[in-house]
Amino acid sequence: MDKNLKDTIKAAKNLQREGLIYLNDNVDLEVEPNYQILIMIINNLKKLMDREKYELVKNDEEKLIHELALLNFNENDLINDDDVEFMENMTREYIDISNPILNRGDYLFCPILYKLFEIYEKASLQIKEGKFKNIMF
């Protein structure tokens, strides 16, 4: 067996043991994330940006997404490009950046509700199928 494939399978099995993914043990090696974990990540995203910062980046979608992603890290955190990219992708995929709500000098960005609802349905199905324990419902 190819060493890269063997290492990939081993890494996937470790993620499955940690409860982060479900790995279907068949020839196709089907993998799906634990949607309960994904929901927790989305719900814990920092979605509040001060008005001044928002005014500086509101006309540049990529800068806005980048700044929202950076809100999820503390000043003293050791972060790398992969961490920032992951948070940017989460923001891009699940947060509505087009219609923030101004509240007391800060802009609040809300999750895209239909996407969140779809993930809740997938998480519920995974629990019913016995792929993961119920850790949030």
Side-chain angles (χ1 to χ4, degrees):
M1 181 181 295
D2 179 67
K3 182 181 180 345
N4 288 336
L5 179 59
K6 192 174 187 177
D7 290 343
T8 301
I9 292 170
K10 183 178 178 181
K13 290 198 179 270
N14 286 336
L15 289 172
Q16 182 177 20
R17 275 192 288 282
E18 294 292 325
L20 298 174
I21 65 170
Y22 175 76
L23 179 62
N24 190 356
D25 288 327
N26 63 22
V27 177
D28 295 332
L29 290 176
E30 297 171 8
V31 176
E32 64 184 270
N34 183 337
Y35 289 107
Q36 294 175 88
I37 302 293
L38 185 56
I39 290 166
M40 286 189 266
I41 292 170
I42 294 167
N43 287 335
N44 287 315
L45 285 174
K46 303 282 193 273
K47 302 175 219 68
L48 199 62
M49 180 182 285
D50 69 64
R51 187 179 198 163
E52 291 174 19
K53 184 173 279 191
Y54 176 74
E55 292 298 328
L56 291 173
V57 297
K58 70 180 181 183
N59 294 322
D60 186 335
E61 183 176 301
E62 288 305 311
K63 282 185 182 177
L64 177 58
I65 289 169
H66 182 75
E67 289 299 323
L68 281 168
L70 291 178
L71 291 174
N72 293 283
F73 302 101
N74 293 322
E75 190 175 301
N76 297 327
D77 285 347
L78 291 175
I79 57 173
N80 63 40
D81 291 339
D82 292 336
D83 295 334
V84 174
E85 184 179 347
F86 175 76
M87 297 311 282
E88 287 174 345
N89 290 338
M90 294 297 291
T91 300
R92 189 177 286 110
E93 184 71 23
Y94 299 108
I95 302 300
D96 181 4
I97 62 167
S98 63
N99 294 310
I101 299 166
L102 181 60
N103 183 19
R104 297 183 184 171
D106 292 322
Y107 279 93
L108 174 65
F109 295 83
C110 298
I112 300 170
L113 293 180
Y114 80 89
K115 288 188 176 187
L116 200 55
F117 180 74
E118 288 174 354
I119 297 169
Y120 272 99
E121 286 182 327
K122 290 177 181 181
S124 180
L125 183 61
Q126 285 179 329
I127 293 166
K128 286 178 188 172
E129 292 175 343
K131 293 178 179 175
F132 298 103
K133 293 178 183 176
N134 183 352
I135 59 174
M136 69 176 293
F137 295 109

